[in-house]
Each structure stands twice: as C-alpha cells, then as structure tokens.
Amino acid sequence: MVHGEAWTVKELFVYPNEYIYWTIQIVMYPFLTGLVAGAFVLSSLYHVFGVKQLKEIARFSLVFSFALLPCAPMPLLLHLQQPLRNHHVLMTPHFTSAIAAFGIVFITYGMIVASELWFVYRGHFVATVHVLREKRDRTLQETGLMRLYSLLVLGAWDVSHHALEQDEKGVKVLAGVGIPVACFLHGYAGFIFGSVKANALWMTPLMPVIFICSAVVSGIALCILTYIATMEIRKLMAAWRRRENPALPSPTDLGGVEENVVRMTSRYLVMFLILAITLELLDLIFRGYTAVKSWDILRSVIYGKDFTAIFVLQYGLGNLVPFVLFLLPGLTVRRAVVGTILVLFGVFMMRWNVVIGGQAFSASFAGFMHYHLPIWPHDFETFKEGLFGALAVGAVPFVFFVILARIFPVFGQRDSH
Amino acid sequence: MDRREFLKRSMLVVAGLAVPAAALELIDPERLLAARPELRWAFLVDAYACVGCGFCVKACKLENEVPYDANVSRTWVERYVVKRDGSVLIDSPRAARDGFTTGKIELGEGKYAEVPAGEIEKSFFVPKLCNQCENPPCVQVCPVGATYQTADGVVLVDRKWCIGCGYCIMGCPYGVRFFHPVHHVAEKCNFCYHRISRGMKSACVDACPFGARKIGNLRDPDDPVTKTVLAGRVGILKEEYGTKPQVYYVGLTREVR
Ligand code: SF4
Ligand code: SF4
C-alpha cells in the first residue's frame, strides 16, 4: 500500500498519485504552534503593555508557552517519512522553502522565552536557594531543587533592588521582542500553506494573518482553561492535604480562580476572535466575489462537502456560541470553561478545514478526496497519522507543564517580578 | 593593531573564507552532473497519436522500479470522454498501466459510468508526466534541497537526502509526485535521467508503438522535438501557475486538466 492509501477515498477524477498526504499531524502542527504563540502574546500583554489585571495569568502563560514549545515540532517529526533525517533541515537549509526557516525561527523564539523565564524567576531562584541552604533537614527533593536552582542562577546572585529592577527591564525587552517573533513563528506556519500556489484553498496572502489571529485566540483560551483547571486542582489538593494536617492553609486562604482575571482575559480573547473571524470571512467573500477558475471546485467543497465542518462546527459551535457565551453579561467561571473549550475546538476545526479541506479536491479540479481518520491503528503509520497519534501529541505539553511548574512556580508565592 | 597588521589579518580571513567556498564549488553536484548549456531536455506528447494502450506506463514502472501493483506511477495516461451536453468524464484506472480495457469510465469509490456511443462528442487520451518545469515549485519548497534541478533542466530527487515531508508533493500543481512505497521518499518522473544522460531515450518513449512520446534537446535546432516546439502549435499544461513546463503537447484541448 502506498502512503496515504489507507485513509484516502477518491471520488470522480483524481490524478493517480494524489492522496491526502498531510494528515492530522499537520493539523496538530499549526494548532500547537498557535498555542505557543498565543500563550506568549497573552503573557506579554502584562509585561509590555502593563495590563495589571493580567499579572496573575502572565507568569502562568509564559511557563505554559515554554512547555508547549518543544511539542510544536513533534507532529512534524511524526509525519515525516524519514524522521531520522530531520536534522537535515538544519544542516542544509534550503532557504527558498518556508519549512527550512522553521528551525531558525523556532530556536530564536525558544531562546527568547527561555531568557525571559530566567529574568522572571532569577530572584525566586536566588531566594529559594538561600532559604534551602539555611534549612538543616532538607528532603532529597529540596536538595535537588537547591542544586538545580544554583545551576540555573548562572552565577548571577545579585538580588539588590537595582539588580531586580534590571531583571524587570530585561523581561520587558524580551517580552517586547518576543511578540513579533511569536507572531512570526506562527505567521510563517500560515505562510507554509499560503504560499503553496498549487493549492487553490491555501493560496492567499491573508493566510499568515489569519493564522496569527486564531493562534492568539487559541493560546488565550487554553491559558484561561488551564488556569482555571490548575486553580481548582490546587484547591482540591489543599483540602485533601488539610484533612491530615489542619495547620495547612485552607482552600479559601489559597484563593480560588480570580474571576476578574478570567473576565479580563476573555475580553482579549473576544477581541482577537472578532479579528480572526473578520479575516476568515473576508477571505471567503473575496474568493466568491472574484470567482477565479478554482472557485467552482472550492465552492463545492466549502458549501457542499465540508459544510458541516466549516459552518456548523467551526463557525457555529467554535466561534458563534462561545462569542455569545463570553458577551452575555455576568461571565461566570463555569461559562468561561465551556466557552474556552468551544473556542479551542473552533480553532482546531479551522486548522482541520485548512489542512484537510485543502486536500479535499484534486489538483485536476475534477474530483474529490475524503480523509478517513484512522481511529484504531493497525500499523505504526495509521497510529501516528491517526487519532491516537494526535492525542499523544496533544497530551505531552501538559506533562511538560506539570514538570516545569515544579521548577517555575506559577502561582502566588513570593513576587519575583 | 596597526594598519599593516589589520590588512594582513583581513586578507587571511578573506583567504580562509574563499577556500571553503571554492571547495564547495568543486563538488556542487548540479554543475558536476550536467554543466552543459548546450542541453535542455524537453518532451513532446502527441495526444492525437496516443491510443491509450498504456505500454509507456508499464515500461516506466518496470524501468524505474516503482512497485508494479502500487497505485502510484511516474507517468500515466488519462482518458477524456466529452459528451454532447458538454460534460466531461475523465479517468485513468491504475494510471492506465493495463490500458483502457473497458468502455466504462471509472468514477471512484467503485462506481463506473457507461456513456452510449451516441452521446459522445469526442474522446481522446492524454499522457502525463513530470513537466521538468523551468521554474519548479517543488524545488522551491523542498526544505533540504533534496529536490534539485540539473543544469540541463531535469528535476531530480536525492533519495538519500529527502526527509519525506511531502511539501514538494503539495507544491506541484500537476500532482505528479508521490512517496515511493519502498524507499519512503518523494518520487516522480525524471525523464529516465539515467538513460538520457547515456544517449538513450526514456523507457516510455522506447515503449510507445505510436510515437506519441518524444524526448529531445531544446538547444539543438535540428532536433525534431525542437522543430515542433518552435514551429508547431503546441500547448503546455496549467500555464497560469507560472511553472513554465517543458513537456509540450500537440492536440491539447481546453478540457484537459
Ligand atoms: S511537474 Fe511538478 S514535480 Fe515536475 S518539475 Fe514541475 S512542479 Fe516539479
Ligand atoms: S518530500 Fe523530500 S524532496 Fe519533497 S520537499 Fe520534502 S524533503 Fe524535499
């Protein structure tokens, strides 16, 4: 069987070599990079523009963005036919290719986020190391943490007022530089598609911008959702621990989800959502209005074959419903949870409709291809390019986040910035 | 550092930079393989002559070791049936490896259409292959340079270097590329480069009993292919993409996709 045959069904005239070559992993790829970029932009809103209400979530989303970062290339890797050769992209980058820029942009961006994290947490590292050093009966874990922090401090032990102020400046600069780089990271993921002239659905200069806007939307949504979830889990865990040791702070002392944080953040979410939808609709209307040669086949895909996926799931369930949920007065945390889940679903569907929808028609403009997502894998290929491969990729960032949050505490404690 | 010292050192640096650049130049495979400005391979397909026997497809599969039963092929033949009402039916069952053995037109998903002879306006066959574009998007998008163009105009894939991302498959407007089922790298027609560079014709040209396929050198004014391309009324596929295909067609009609 040739690659793609396992999940492609052809209808009418399709060139013999055409299959759905870019599958769910290529849907996951822009989805994940979008989350990285979006989470970072959210954290920068506080650092750069000083939106005070976002302080609580800023640090959270920065760490989250860092946890998502190593996961962004994973779907690409899983989809390569020769994954062991992936380093070729860095060794012999071919600069006319949009994908070739990936390594460079990605590494630059990773370094920016890492340095920003360092500036944000340096004060905390130093303080913790001092406290732990004094402590006599350190647990193994504490000793480990102390060693790790001493290493991470990189010799910069100065925590004078001046030094901390310098840190803060560093954060500001990096957050400022990071915004365009984050946008670039994702904008160019859009460019990978938008520049493929052979594909009538992808080929639009709006693609990078559409991708950036929906990236920010998804990043903010995921941060709100994880923020709420983490807060709730923390409360539950506190209550549980307190049963054994009543001296510990009560859940109410810890403070739960800050409603105004959620409210404020959702306002930004709605703003970017409007922008994203406007651009997508503009693109759609423009295509219909100009109706070039490819419009016939595009129309039959958009308004026919993919109608449910595009209009019901993406625009309806993923955009309109959360839009209403967020805009109705008196936003509650519960409603925000439903809203953000739907928004995330909507952005995922948007990626799906671009990637899979873009391959739903043949380059002959005379036939169609349908993607049957492999659910139960019967070999490695149908695993990695199927449902479970995608779920696996989607789960990793949360694992990273849990690990990272142990090193970079994301809540309360002492203010280090 | 005085000026003298500075100049000396900068010269060293320049010399140091120049050496690897020159070394690279020497082993540039594109130049080594075919640094011949007097050569530009092109292909001529005569759609009037093609009868849809599929000998070319069969020969190509055997010559280039594309698994015989795999549903991909470096070249294929399309059948066009234009009905009196203007609708067009197209198919290429198994890339026409076994020719067109039935009058029924394959519609995909296991369905077939039968068109009564009285409803047929015209019908014809069109062979397809990689166009070895002058401005190939597949080369442009390859992130590692595994797909490259030789100086004599043929686009090749380096099987040892391709990472199998499929970007080139997406970038080619003609759908000629696929993944090789055995090597798991991008694959496509290369005009039988191993043959033509030794003075032979491509396998499909040799296999065609009706002379529907010809390969030639555009830089040679006496080449019959060049003569037809220059003086005949030839067409190319999907001109609007700006890829400048170098496969020319005689008898192209507007129905051809
Ligand atoms: S026809 Fe396709 S594969 Fe061949 S050179 Fe042109 S773009 Fe590349
Ligand atoms: S599949 Fe291979 S030849 Fe094609 S773009 Fe990717 S690396 Fe290049």
Side-chain angles (χ1 to χ4, degrees), chain B residues 142-144 146-147 162-168 186:
Chain B
C142 177
V144 292
T147 286
C162 166
I163 58 173
C165 62
Y167 203 12
C168 58

Side-chain angles (χ1 to χ4, degrees), chain A residues 42-100:
Chain A
L42 178 60
S43 88
S44 300
L45 283 177
Y46 165 69
H47 292 300
V48 181
F49 303 111
V51 185
K52 285 275 173 320
Q53 292 93 324
L54 295 182
K55 183 173 179 181
E56 178 88 354
I57 209 165
R59 202 152 33 151
F60 181 91
S61 38
L62 185 65
V63 176
F64 206 60
S65 175
F66 197 58
L68 282 162
L69 196 68
C71 311
M74 274 175 45
L76 278 186
L77 218 61
L78 276 178
H79 131 93
L80 289 189
Q81 290 289 292
Q82 299 284 354
L84 296 179
R85 295 183 186 166
N86 72 82
H87 58 282
H88 288 188
V89 182
L90 286 174
M91 279 161 62
T92 46
H94 195 66
F95 286 110
T96 54
S97 166
I99 291 186

Side-chain angles (χ1 to χ4, degrees), chain A residues 80-81 97 99, chain B residues 138-139 141-148 156-158 161-169 177 179 185-187:
Chain A
L80 289 189
Q81 290 289 292
S97 166
I99 291 186
Chain B
C138 54
V139 172
V141 299
C142 177
V144 292
T147 286
Y148 62 101
L156 302 178
V157 185
D158 184 343
W161 208 253
C162 166
I163 58 173
C165 62
Y167 203 12
C168 58
I169 303 183
R177 289 181 161 249
F179 279 123
V185 289
E187 172 83 3

Side-chain angles (χ1 to χ4, degrees), chain A residues 5 12 17 85 96-97 363, chain B residues 71 73 107 140-141 162 167 238:
Chain A
E5 211 175 351
L12 299 174
N17 296 336
R85 295 183 186 166
T96 54
S97 166
Chain B
N71 282 322
S73 183
L107 297 178
Q140 183 185 32
V141 299
C162 166
Y167 203 12
K238 305 194 185 191

Side-chain angles (χ1 to χ4, degrees), chain A residues 177-352:
Chain A
V177 178
I179 295 181
V181 180
C183 290
F184 193 74
L185 175 74
H186 198 63
Y188 113 91
F191 186 83
I192 290 182
F193 296 97
S195 62
V196 177
K197 65 179 167 190
N199 192 303
L201 188 80
W202 296 346
M203 172 66 181
T204 161
L206 279 185
M207 199 60 96
V209 205
I210 293 179
F211 265 55
I212 291 172
C213 289
S214 51
V216 179
V217 170
S218 66
I220 297 180
L222 187 64
C223 284
I224 299 181
L225 187 64
T226 333
Y227 169 73
I228 296 174
T230 324
M231 283 304 225
E232 288 303 313
I233 294 172
R234 209 161 75 114
K235 242 182 2 191
L236 281 180
M237 271 167 51
W240 187 64
R241 279 206 199 114
R242 204 157 176 260
R243 264 193 310 195
E244 285 162 13
N245 183 0
L248 285 173
S250 75
T252 23
D253 294 340
L254 273 178
V257 181
E258 303 240 2
E259 286 212 7
N260 63 336
V261 170
V262 172
R263 245 180 243 147
M264 189 67 195
T265 322
S266 347
R267 219 167 287 163
Y268 282 94
L269 182 121
V270 169
M271 217 170 71
F272 281 102
L273 190 62
I274 296 176
L275 210 61
I277 302 175
T278 314
L279 284 170
E280 278 169 53
L281 289 181
L282 174 68
D283 182 50
L284 196 65
I285 294 167
F286 194 80
R287 284 168 192 276
Y289 191 79
T290 50
V292 292
K293 189 174 163 191
S294 55
W295 177 240
D296 274 339
I297 190 107
L298 282 190
R299 188 180 43 203
S300 58
V301 167
I302 295 172
Y303 295 114
K305 314 242 168 222
D306 281 357
F307 185 85
T308 324
I310 294 177
F311 291 99
V312 180
L313 298 180
Q314 182 190 330
Y315 287 120
L317 204 58
N319 290 347
L320 192 67
V321 177
F323 195 70
V324 174
L325 283 180
F326 281 123
L327 283 191
L328 281 181
L331 179 68
T332 59
V333 171
R334 201 164 297 166
R335 215 162 74 205
V337 169
V338 179
T340 47
I341 292 178
L342 286 180
V343 164
L344 281 171
F345 173 73
V347 174
F348 180 82
M349 281 316 290
M350 181 255 165
R351 312 291 194 234
W352 177 280

